[in-house]
Amino acid sequence: MKAHYFDYAASTPADPRVAQAMAACLTLDGNFGNPASRSHRYGWQAEQAVENARRQLADLLKADPREIVWTSGATESNNLALKGVVEALRDAGETGPLHIITSAIEHKAVLDPCKWLAQHQGVEVTYLTPDADGLITPQQVADALRPETCLVSLMAVNNELGTLTDVAAIGALLSKHRAVFHVDAAQAIGKIPVDVKAWQVDLLSVSAHKFYGPKGIGALFVKREPQVKLAAQIHGGGHERGMRSGTLATHQLVGLGEAARLVAEEGAADEARIRGLRDQLWAGLQALGDVYLNGHATQRTANHLNVSFGGVDGEILLASLAKVAVSSGSACNSATVAPSFVLKAIGRSDALAHAGIRFSLGRFTTSDEVEAVIAEVARVVAMLRG
């Protein structure tokens, strides 16, 4: 029997329209050429397709297409943003102390580069602690700012909780400071409106497979006015205006562009429908008793529902939910048996952090599926509670 898929925050299936657009870029009778081949029609057509995708993503983000730098996904975008800012400052001759502000509940794709910069570049990092609702406030950022702060990196939507950071308020705060503002928007696109101008961000990371596009492709928004200076992390040909070398994957970029177009046209309707399904799921789970919502009740996306179940062993609970595809936190940490560091950061006990389950819904979730999942979770929880 096929499991009910409730792990859209880990990865979304490609929309069939995205897959169709990608398939047309793979074979001899399609648009398979190298976008960097400037001497024949195959290359020109591929370049045109890549640039069309660049515009589609830029339109979704309210950006200039020249501000979109292609990457392999949000992890690479985050590394390029964080390491690129610090190394560009060092290359420009800045020898004094540098300071970064981030939070204790960022994705590992931000926390690990921060750790690397502290160890190898001598950068001091401040990790802001969320409140009990999983929120980082603009006031916390203001209190942590120093003259030597060169970068603030905060996610728009937390990947485990779905909680929303007030990035617009933080962007307004940082507009008066020299610090570059980087936002990891991997979980935001397709779930909330993203506007780089309104948010006043300098750098913003994108991952296609979080909004019904293909895996292995993403982008980094890099503000042009004033131009954010970044040191490239991948060298070999000077592609993407010298910021990211490598042959562009036409089919993946066409898929990302089509996924962005669909979000622009259908995202609001998706959000309203999914919110109703999420609330239906929460009502059913809440009725089981001794169930706790993790994260702010309203300041979160429609797609996420992170709950802890009292009176059960978390590992046994997750293993017993074989008919439901869910996670105990970030997909990047699914191999560890330690309790979620995000749930620990918001004050959950070890037992409740271990028993935390992230349900995430999406474009293809149905009401019947929600009812089936409620029934299955109720059966498993009742069995484990004896």
Side-chain angles (χ1 to χ4, degrees), residues 276-295:
L277 295 174
R278 193 274 314 274
D279 292 345
Q280 175 188 349
L281 177 61
W282 173 228
L285 296 180
Q286 209 173 3
L288 303 179
D290 203 14
V291 179
Y292 306 89
L293 177 68
N294 295 316

Side-chain angles (χ1 to χ4, degrees), residues 9-10 105-108 155 157-163 187 210 304 306 329-331 333 341-342 358:
I105 57 171
E106 297 300 303
H107 194 279
K108 290 291 187 181
M155 59 193 353
V157 174
N158 184 267
N159 54 298
E160 291 196 28
L161 305 173
T163 46
Q187 291 287 350
K210 302 294 189 182
H304 284 71
N306 192 311
S330 168
N333 296 315
F341 72 90
V342 173
R358 181 185 69 183

Side-chain angles (χ1 to χ4, degrees), residues 14 48 131 149 155 179 355 359:
Q48 185 178 30
D131 64 17
T149 305
M155 59 193 353
F359 299 86

